[in-house]
Structures are given as C-alpha cells and as structure tokens.
C-alpha cells in the first residue's frame, strides 16, 4: 500500500518537471528583481539669517528726530476773533499756572460802532467777553452818557483784564474770572470834554452839583446787571469800593443765576 503511494508521488513530480518551460525552447522566464526602497530626499540645511543688532551707541550732540521737530514748530497761532462793535488784536493762547489762562485771547482797544469809545489801558480778555463788553458800551453806555451827562463818552479806564489770581486777591479760594479772561474792573469814564467820572470819588458823593455824575454811575451799574452774570460795585463789599467789577462767569447748574451788588 505504501509502495503504491510512493510510486504515484514520484510519477507526479516527474510530470511536473517535464511541464516546466526550458530556456532552450525560446521562452524566457522573467527574473524578478527586487525594487529597492526609495531613499528620502535629503533636506537642505536651514541656515538662520542673522538679525542685525540695534545700535545702542548714543551721542549727546545728536538729538532725537521728535526733539528736532519740536524745536522747529512755530508758536501758537492766534485764534481769529470777530465780534460786532469791538476793535481787537488777536493774541496767542494764554497759558498760566494753577489753572490760569484761556484760548481766543485778544487785546481790546475800543468800540468801533457809533459810540467810538476806547479803553485805557487796552485790556487782555477772551473773545467772548470782548463781545459782551463792547455790546454793553455801544448799546447802553453811549446813550446813558448823553442822557445823564449831556455829552458823549470817550474812553473807559479799567484794569488789565487778565490776572492770574484768586478771587479778591486772596491766597486761597476759587479762581477769579480774571484768570480766564472773563472779567474786567472799571475805574472811571472819560468824556469828550475831558471830564472824568470816577467810581471811587463820585459813587457816593452827595454834592448836588455832582448829581449827574452819580446818576451816570448808578445807571451804568444797573445796565451792567442786565448783561453780565456778576456785577460788583462799591455797595457790594470792601473789595470793590473803587471800581465796578463785571464778568460772565457761570453761576448755578444752568449758568443763569446772576449776582448784582
């Protein structure tokens, strides 16, 4: 039994050998050549680009560009002020200490309406106050002068207007309206005849011959109370015995409260 199986296996192997192709019969058995694995491409080395170091050298003689530009900047240009009846000269903004100063600064030389009234000396105030002051003189004082004195007003003698100080020249307290160009102190009034009515001498003079002078001052004071937010004359306190103070400062939340003394 075993021998028979062996014979069959041997015959099968012989037949398989005969069926294999031979190179001598023109048939080429392709040879299988193993394909080599593709090597990864070599990456080019990354060379860091050097960053230039900042120049830390400093020369005392070389100023930074912004400093040079600041040196070449012109001074502040005055803000043009155009108000009716006022002759003004525009000035650069005033910058003082401790809150003093204002923009739209002007030197008020006089009133150029029908009144033709000058200021002695010419005060420095802000543009808005210059307009209020000129309207008061043109529309009120010119007529009051003719009605009480019988002649035209020529000039208003007053303080400098702007003064960097506190109220009543005290060391503490609120800043004066003078410090922001909103106020002026009027000392006297000059008429075309050369006559001068002063607040210090004529406000309380009971001489009957000087009644027109007193009437003029009282009428001036009353008219001011209708135009300015603050009017302080000799009847107000000891600080205003020699002049009439007028300003356009804000009083109250709505700035409509007026002080007339």
């Amino acid at each position: 039994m075993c021998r028979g199986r062996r014979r069959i296996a041997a015959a099968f192997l012989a037949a398989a050998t005969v069926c294999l192709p031979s190179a001598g019969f023109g048939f080429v058995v392709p040879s299988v050549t193993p394909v080599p694995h593709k090597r990864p491409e070599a990456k080019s080395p990354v060379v860091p680009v050097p960053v230039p170091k900042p120049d830390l050298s400093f020369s005392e003689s070389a100023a930074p560009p912004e400093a040079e530009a600041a040196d070449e900047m012109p001074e502040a240009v005055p803000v043009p002020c155009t108000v009716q009846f006022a002759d003004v000269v525009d000035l650069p903004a005033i910058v003082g200490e401790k809150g003093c100063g204002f923009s739209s600064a002007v030197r008020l030389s006089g009133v150029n309406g029908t009144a033709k009234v000058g200021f002695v000396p010419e005060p420095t105030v802000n543009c808005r106050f210059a307009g209020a002051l000129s309207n008061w003189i043109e529309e009120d004082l010119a007529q009051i002068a003719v009605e009480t004195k019988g002649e035209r007003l020529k000039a208003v003698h007053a303080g400098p207007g702007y003064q960097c100080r506190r109220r009543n020249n005290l060391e503490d307290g609120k800043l004066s309206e003078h410090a922001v160009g909103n106020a002026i102190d009027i000392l006297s009034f000059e008429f075309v005849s050369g006559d001068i009515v002063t607040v210090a001498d004529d406000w309380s003079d009971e001489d009957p011959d000087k009644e027109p002078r007193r009437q003029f001052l009282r009428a001036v004071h009353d008219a001011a109370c209708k135009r300015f937010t603050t009017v302080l004359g000799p009847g107000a306190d000891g600080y205003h015995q020699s002049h009439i103070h007028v300003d356009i400062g804000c009083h109250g939340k709505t700035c409509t409260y007026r002080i007339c003394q």
Side-chain angles (χ1 to χ4, degrees), residues 84-85 115 134-144 227:
Q84 190 179 21
F85 305 133
S134 299
N135 288 342
W136 175 53
I137 294 174
E138 170 69 20
E139 298 174 356
D140 295 342
L141 268 59
Q143 182 178 355
I144 293 173
R227 289 187 178 268

Side-chain angles (χ1 to χ4, degrees), residues 171-195:
E171 294 182 358
D172 56 3
K174 294 184 178 180
L175 200 65
S176 170
E177 292 298 325
H178 289 278
V180 292
N182 276 344
I184 197 170
D185 293 333
I186 300 175
L187 306 174
S188 60
F189 301 86
E190 181 179 354
F191 295 83
V192 292
S193 65
D195 187 24

Side-chain angles (χ1 to χ4, degrees), residues 46-96:
V46 178
V47 180
V49 179
V51 179
K53 295 182 179 181
D55 185 7
L56 300 179
S57 62
F58 178 79
S59 174
E60 295 182 356
S61 61
E66 56 270 20
E68 294 179 358
D71 292 339
E72 296 175 358
M73 290 182 64
E75 296 182 358
V77 178
V79 178
C81 173
T82 303
V83 290
Q84 190 179 21
F85 305 133
D87 278 332
V88 298
V89 176
D90 296 322
L91 301 175
I94 295 178
V95 180

Side-chain angles (χ1 to χ4, degrees), residues 149-188:
K149 284 277 293 167
E151 59 178 323
R152 292 186 298 106
L153 190 63
K154 178 182 178 181
V156 175
H157 295 251
Y162 169 70
Q163 291 177 300
C164 185
R165 63 174 176 82
R166 300 191 181 278
R167 292 182 181 178
N168 300 322
N169 286 305
L170 299 178
E171 294 182 358
D172 56 3
K174 294 184 178 180
L175 200 65
S176 170
E177 292 298 325
H178 289 278
V180 292
N182 276 344
I184 197 170
D185 293 333
I186 300 175
L187 306 174
S188 60

Side-chain angles (χ1 to χ4, degrees), residues 227-238:
R227 289 187 178 268
F228 302 97
T229 57
T230 307
V231 180
L232 301 173
D237 52 39

